[in-house]
Amino acid sequence: APPIAPMAARRATDEMRDRVVLGEFGVRNVHTTDFPGNYPGYEDAWDQRRFEEAFRVDVIREEEDTLEFDMVGIDAAIANAFRRILLAEVPTMAVEKVFVYNNTSIVQDEILAHRLGLIPIRADPRLFEYRNQGDQEGTEIDTLQFQLKIKCKRNPQAAKESSDPDELYFNHKVYSKHMTWVPLGNQTDLFPDADFRPVHDDVLIALLRPGQEIDVLMHCVKGIGKDHAKFSPVATASYRLLPDITLLQPIEDEAAETLQKCFSPGVIEIQNINGKKVARVANARLDTFSREVFRHEGLKNLVRLARVRNHYIFTVESTGILPPDVLVSEAIKILMGKCQRFLNELDSVPME
């Protein structure tokens, strides 16, 4: 065989190991390859030093409640573990029990309780313990108490012909800002500068009319998203693989303009070279992979769409209870705890 064959075979294997390829009718190389003996001639056994050299985390964008970061050099199983822990295992405080003393609004008690449960509470869950199973009464170490007491009245000063409820009534909209913290036990001393309140002041809870009132007491406890979605600290936590777009040969003039329209804005740019318009990949990261290019007979074989297998772009959007960077580090701590518990189990079980 000519000597080029081993090189070509190695290139094909490299592509299988490093890229997930998007074809016109399916996706190739989707299976994980991060284990030894998968490819002849490759040392794919786990090696800590090699992992530490290749692994990195780059923070791309950090806003108040949103964090976008790249995690590079990691296997899908671990990346997915972080995502799942963020969704379901990082604890927060949320309303668990609602004591209804009076509710003459048209919102039924159980619907009202459910709505109150879903309001994110700005309280650091790390300051509290989990409530013990079967405890009816909360204590200052595991419970936060809020009160919502509001009554709707007519506005005697309203204009006769007015039909605007904002003018006609007082307190006809019940917002989350009307929830007030009621310290339990010695919480005033425990949290002298605490400001426990809903994350957003303008969550609409109910609408009232004159004479209707709501008087409830709420107990917030610590919990995790596995038990109820109201405890989930993130609005979304997702990842995608880094796009990788290769033009297999020069694409010019009209074809270049068609190509540019096939991708998200900013992915393909057109340069002017010797009076010719030439397409080039400017920023593949922006692409959403609509695969529009496969609809064009003349273009579909000139482009290779792929994703980098071990480059994860994470987007974590917090509900506002904790900043997203804190959530990510908490998720990492939880995974470390799971690993430690597993190792301890292995040590304590006598081997047969």
Side-chain angles (χ1 to χ4, degrees):
I4 187 125
M7 275 309 291
R10 191 165 176 94
R11 269 205 303 276
T13 307
D14 276 341
E15 180 181 284
M16 270 169 87
R17 288 173 74 243
D18 302 336
R19 296 287 185 271
V20 176
V21 181
L22 285 88
E24 186 177 2
F25 299 111
V27 185
R28 299 202 308 277
N29 314 346
V30 288
H31 57 286
T32 183
T33 60
D34 197 10
F35 47 88
N38 204 21
Y39 297 113
Y42 285 91
E43 265 304 307
D44 278 340
W46 165 258
D47 176 66
Q48 183 159 350
R49 187 186 56 79
R50 202 171 64 212
F51 170 78
E52 284 175 10
E53 281 171 7
F55 180 75
R56 67 175 208 272
V57 174
D58 307 326
V59 176
I60 304 296
R61 182 167 61 91
E62 190 170 4
E63 288 159 23
E64 195 179 355
D65 286 335
T66 313
L67 176 69
E68 185 182 319
F69 65 93
D70 289 10
M71 204 179 262
V72 187
I74 199 166
D75 189 58
I78 309 291
N80 197 39
F82 290 132
R83 183 187 71 85
R84 299 263 310 245
I85 289 171
L86 278 166
L87 287 170
E89 294 188 54
V90 175
T92 63
M93 302 291 285
V95 174
E96 173 75 5
K97 276 200 160 58
V98 179
F99 302 93
V100 183
Y101 292 102
N102 199 355
N103 173 22
T104 52
S105 75
I106 60 163
V107 182
Q108 298 96 321
D109 294 359
E110 56 271 43
I111 304 285
L112 181 66
H114 183 252
R115 288 177 72 79
L116 292 169
L118 293 173
I119 294 171
I121 305 292
R122 181 167 289 160
D124 192 329
R126 295 168 294 183
L127 302 172
F128 297 90
E129 303 293 326
Y130 286 103
R131 190 189 278 197
N132 292 325
Q133 211 88 44
D135 273 9
Q136 288 305 309
E137 294 296 312
T139 63
E140 61 268 5
I141 57 164
D142 60 26
T143 307
L144 266 180
Q145 189 169 256
F146 284 89
Q147 187 180 37
L148 175 62
K149 192 170 182 175
I150 189 163
K151 185 168 184 174
C152 179
K153 292 190 171 72
R154 281 185 196 282
N155 175 8
Q157 264 79 55
K160 276 272 191 296
E161 63 285 351
S162 170
S163 61
D164 177 12
D166 289 333
E167 198 185 331
L168 288 172
Y169 317 123
F170 292 130
N171 288 342
H172 76 109
K173 285 184 173 172
V174 183
Y175 286 113
S176 51
K177 67 179 174 203
H178 296 124
M179 290 167 61
T180 52
W181 174 47
V182 181
L184 271 173
N186 63 346
Q187 281 182 339
T188 344
D189 308 329
L190 280 176
F191 314 112
D193 49 0
D195 179 22
F196 297 128
R197 57 189 180 82
V199 173
H200 304 286
D201 285 339
D202 56 352
V203 180
L204 185 64
I205 298 171
L207 292 174
L208 303 179
R209 283 296 175 263
Q212 296 183 350
E213 62 180 301
I214 290 177
D215 180 3
V216 296
L217 210 57
M218 294 159 262
H219 280 183
C220 298
V221 301
K222 183 172 173 173
I224 58 174
K226 258 186 187 176
D227 299 327
H228 194 296
K230 67 186 174 189
F231 292 114
S232 182
V234 291
T236 59
S238 62
Y239 61 70
R240 58 194 179 103
L241 291 172
L242 178 74
D244 172 51
I245 298 168
T246 318
L247 304 183
L248 303 174
Q249 64 185 63
I251 298 176
E252 296 169 349
D253 299 332
E254 270 176 42
E257 290 183 342
T258 311
L259 183 78
Q260 188 178 36
K261 291 195 184 102
C262 290
F263 292 94
S264 303
V267 175
I268 303 286
E269 71 175 15
I270 294 180
Q271 294 174 315
N272 205 326
I273 299 176
N274 304 334
K276 273 191 169 165
K277 294 175 179 169
V278 180
R280 100 178 174 91
V281 179
N283 186 357
R285 187 190 178 95
L286 300 173
D287 198 36
T288 55
F289 278 159
S290 61
R291 297 199 252 194
E292 180 74 14
V293 70
F294 292 126
R295 295 176 61 176
H296 300 273
E297 270 319 308
L299 289 176
K300 66 182 184 186
N301 297 322
L302 309 182
V303 183
R304 186 193 74 162
L305 302 185
R307 291 190 182 268
V308 182
R309 184 190 296 285
N310 64 357
H311 187 134
Y312 294 88
I313 301 173
F314 272 84
T315 311
V316 177
E317 188 185 320
S318 161
T319 53
I321 296 172
L322 289 171
D325 53 324
V326 174
L327 293 178
V328 173
S329 61
E330 287 297 303
I332 293 169
K333 283 180 198 159
I334 290 170
L335 187 60
M336 284 160 68
K338 284 174 182 283
C339 298
Q340 197 52 59
R341 196 163 81 240
F342 183 57
L343 292 171
N344 295 345
E345 288 288 324
L346 284 179
D347 289 343
S348 63
V349 176
M351 298 303 276
E352 290 299 317

